[in-house]
Amino acid sequence: MQTNRLKHAKDVSNLLKILSTPRRLLLVCLLMNSERCVNELMDELGTSLGNISQHINVLEKAGIIKKRREGIFIFCSIADPKIKKLIKTLHELYCPRLF
């Protein structure tokens, strides 16, 4: 029982570490309502393709977002509905004017 709790706590801690990077958190926020093209995300975050790709790869590896290719374009969306709940709760607590 204790081992399961510790594993669960470690999993949640790792998720929070991944989302603790401002660009990654903002990237996930931008995906809250719809799938977005990487180029569009790059423009909105004001960063390079290399930088956004690194963040997307970390988020994808963690199962937070998923990617799909359409021709030369890559689209991202949130993969786990629990992430949407988490981000919505954070918005309600810390950014009430945005909702």
Side-chain angles (χ1 to χ4, degrees), residues 53-95:
S53 292
Q54 289 177 352
H55 290 300
I56 287 170
N57 287 335
V58 169
L59 292 167
E60 183 182 34
K61 184 178 176 184
I64 296 170
I65 67 169
K66 58 186 174 184
K67 298 186 300 191
R68 73 172 181 86
R69 181 177 289 277
E70 190 173 303
I72 62 168
F73 298 103
I74 297 173
F75 292 86
C76 298
S77 60
I78 294 178
D80 184 348
K82 291 183 280 186
I83 296 299
K84 284 189 174 187
K85 281 183 165 180
L86 174 63
I87 297 300
K88 185 173 172 37
T89 300
L90 291 172
H91 272 284
E92 289 170 354
L93 291 171
Y94 297 103
C95 311

Side-chain angles (χ1 to χ4, degrees):
M1 184 74 160
Q2 185 74 8
T3 308
N4 287 340
R5 285 184 188 168
L6 185 57
K7 182 190 178 316
H8 185 69
K10 285 180 181 179
D11 291 345
V12 173
S13 177
N14 287 335
L15 171 71
L16 294 174
K17 284 178 192 174
I18 290 166
L19 292 175
S20 70
T21 303
R23 275 216 169 98
R24 283 188 207 137
L25 182 58
L26 184 54
L27 196 152
V28 172
C29 288
L30 292 170
L31 297 173
M32 277 294 288
N33 297 318
S34 65
E35 176 181 72
R36 307 282 288 273
C37 178
V38 169
N39 292 339
E40 184 181 355
L41 294 168
M42 187 176 65
D43 291 343
E44 289 200 46
L45 293 172
T47 190
S48 67
L49 181 58
N51 184 263
I52 194 90
S53 292
Q54 289 177 352
H55 290 300
I56 287 170
N57 287 335
V58 169
L59 292 167
E60 183 182 34
K61 184 178 176 184
I64 296 170
I65 67 169
K66 58 186 174 184
K67 298 186 300 191
R68 73 172 181 86
R69 181 177 289 277
E70 190 173 303
I72 62 168
F73 298 103
I74 297 173
F75 292 86
C76 298
S77 60
I78 294 178
D80 184 348
K82 291 183 280 186
I83 296 299
K84 284 189 174 187
K85 281 183 165 180
L86 174 63
I87 297 300
K88 185 173 172 37
T89 300
L90 291 172
H91 272 284
E92 289 170 354
L93 291 171
Y94 297 103
C95 311
R97 294 173 298 225
L98 298 178
F99 273 93

